[in-house]
Amino acid sequence: MTKTSFGMKIAALVFSLLASLPLSRSVLAAGEKLTVGWSAIAGSQAPLWITKEAGLFEKNGLDVTMIYIDGGSKAAQALMSGDVPIVQIGGSAPIVARLRGADVVLIAGLTNVLAYSLVVSPEIKKPEDLKGKKLSVSRFGSNSDYATRKILLKWGLRPDIDVAVLQIPGGQPVRLAAVQSKQVHGMVAQPPVTNLARKFGLNILAEPEDFGSAYPTTPIASRVSFINEKRETVRKFMRALIEGVHVYKTQKEFSKKVIAKYVKVTDAEVLEDSYEFFSRLVPAKPYPTLEGIKEALAELAEKDPKARAARPEDFADLSFVKELEESGFIDALYKGKK
């Protein structure tokens, strides 16, 4: 045997051994770089966090950097600027952006109902008690802003006239602190913040069922131009995300540890409530909600004539979830197959 053939056999053996070993996260992280934004310190954001912490982006060939952008409207701005090509965003913000000519489109829907509670100071016992009071939202145009105005109007209270609506950026924990310190009298919130609010003796004036109807509460959005240029990248992202949803729905203890890390809460009861509340709402096949988009357009149509003629289908790209569903990939996850 020549030295050359012997060397080739050794090289082939080494390569075979390396290929049989599980790849470490550092090795996997050599994938395509992608920046992804998330926009609320709340349990509704958990699937994206879990996808990251479980190493599923790396598994699918992506080196993802996740950044926090406070509020849906600000996340929409970051998306339109090109700084962040994919964001986990809030409600009407991406729809408003598209109505104004931006090439923003929803590619997934992780929470498709208004999953909020209205947390208020102890002295507020009924909706009428809100008159002359102050409620806080993350930013105007965000999910929290929409939900706040929706529930006030349902109760016959005029936002900004009967009840002041104030922006307090920084996440739900910051707004909860503002309610506790009497800077404001209430806020819409989600677990685990709602659970903390109960522990602090605050009242819950409205529960999710009081808000009603479908709504794109936690969609994933991108830009049409980015999808056209980087379709395979978006496909990898969506594949990883759907695997992350599977982990979220089937691995409770791991998921709770991830939620604790991102919301900085260690109370076991609070984490359990947060997991149970949201994990049942996240669909295994996370299509963007056309009914929810229709609802958002109806609300926007009161002030924007363009929304009256708009079609929900023009605001969503269902193709990525559809492709993964039709290939059998999603069903296979829940049957325990690779």
Side-chain angles (χ1 to χ4, degrees):
M1 181 183 295
T2 65
K3 285 187 178 181
T4 301
S5 61
F6 180 75
M8 289 176 65
K9 284 190 175 184
I10 291 295
L13 178 61
V14 170
F15 179 82
S16 176
L17 288 171
L18 288 173
S20 69
L21 294 173
L23 291 177
S24 68
R25 176 168 283 200
S26 62
V27 173
L28 285 168
E32 179 183 359
K33 292 186 179 298
L34 178 68
T35 302
V36 176
W38 55 282
S39 58
I41 303 172
S44 60
Q45 309 279 300
L48 190 61
W49 302 336
I50 289 162
T51 304
K52 174 66 175 175
E53 296 299 320
L56 296 171
F57 289 128
E58 293 93 336
K59 176 186 173 185
N60 284 278
L62 296 174
D63 179 7
V64 168
T65 298
M66 295 213 312
I67 61 171
Y68 172 57
I69 306 168
D70 182 30
S73 54
K74 194 172 179 182
Q77 292 169 10
L79 181 63
M80 290 185 290
S81 72
D83 293 338
V84 184
I86 297 177
V87 293
Q88 187 161 275
I89 199 168
S92 64
I95 297 168
V96 170
R98 190 163 180 86
L99 283 171
R100 292 175 180 172
D103 69 336
V104 173
V105 67
L106 305 186
I107 58 174
L110 296 178
T111 309
N112 294 324
V113 294
L114 273 172
Y116 282 103
S117 301
L118 181 64
V119 173
V120 294
S121 302
E123 70 273 14
I124 298 174
K125 308 293 186 185
K126 54 189 182 299
E128 306 91 89
D129 296 340
L130 286 170
K131 198 163 186 177
K133 302 297 193 298
K134 302 173 185 176
L135 298 180
S136 65
V137 301
S138 64
R139 292 181 185 275
F140 299 140
S142 66
N143 268 359
S144 61
D145 183 48
Y146 174 77
T148 299
R149 294 173 189 277
K150 183 178 177 68
I151 197 68
L152 289 176
L153 290 169
K154 181 179 178 180
W155 287 334
L157 295 166
R158 296 168 296 174
D160 304 316
I161 299 173
D162 296 326
V163 183
V165 180
L166 308 178
Q167 291 186 126
I168 301 182
Q172 290 187 32
V174 173
R175 294 194 291 284
L176 180 63
V179 178
Q180 288 180 276
S181 64
K182 308 293 186 183
Q183 295 177 51
V184 294
H185 302 91
M187 60 177 286
V188 292
Q190 299 172 319
V193 168
T194 46
N195 310 87
L196 291 172
R198 289 186 179 94
K199 288 178 179 288
F200 296 153
L202 301 175
N203 288 336
I204 306 294
L205 202 60
E207 294 286 8
E209 55 267 26
D210 297 313
F211 291 86
S213 70
Y215 193 74
T217 297
T218 315
I220 302 289
S222 187
R223 299 190 316 278
V224 174
S225 54
F226 182 77
I227 291 170
N228 290 341
E229 182 183 350
K230 298 277 190 178
R231 187 169 185 85
E232 184 57 30
T233 302
V234 181
R235 184 179 285 114
K236 290 176 183 177
F237 169 85
M238 286 299 300
R239 185 182 176 96
L241 179 65
I242 285 174
E243 288 186 275
V245 168
H246 173 254
V247 171
Y248 181 40
K249 296 175 81 67
T250 61
Q251 297 184 33
K252 180 194 282 192
E253 294 309 313
F254 173 76
S255 297
K256 288 196 295 184
K257 288 178 182 177
V258 174
I259 294 167
K261 174 181 176 179
Y262 281 81
V263 301
K264 296 180 170 44
V265 170
T266 57
D267 187 303
E269 181 183 339
V270 169
L271 291 170
E272 177 73 16
D273 286 347
S274 180
Y275 177 83
E276 292 295 338
F277 181 87
F278 282 112
S279 62
R280 62 186 172 84
L281 295 179
V282 177
K285 299 171 183 178
Y287 283 100
T289 168
L290 296 182
E291 280 301 311
I293 295 170
K294 183 179 179 181
E295 171 74 11
L297 286 169
E299 186 263 340
L300 293 169
E302 296 177 12
K303 296 181 180 179
D304 189 340
K306 289 183 180 179
R308 294 172 197 155
R311 302 186 321 132
E313 296 84 356
D314 295 335
F315 294 79
D317 183 342
L318 310 182
S319 66
F320 293 100
V321 180
K322 185 177 181 181
E323 179 182 298
L324 289 164
E325 178 184 15
E326 291 181 347
S327 71
F329 174 76
I330 301 175
D331 289 338
L333 288 173
Y334 292 86
K335 290 175 182 176
K337 298 179 183 178
K338 292 184 179 179

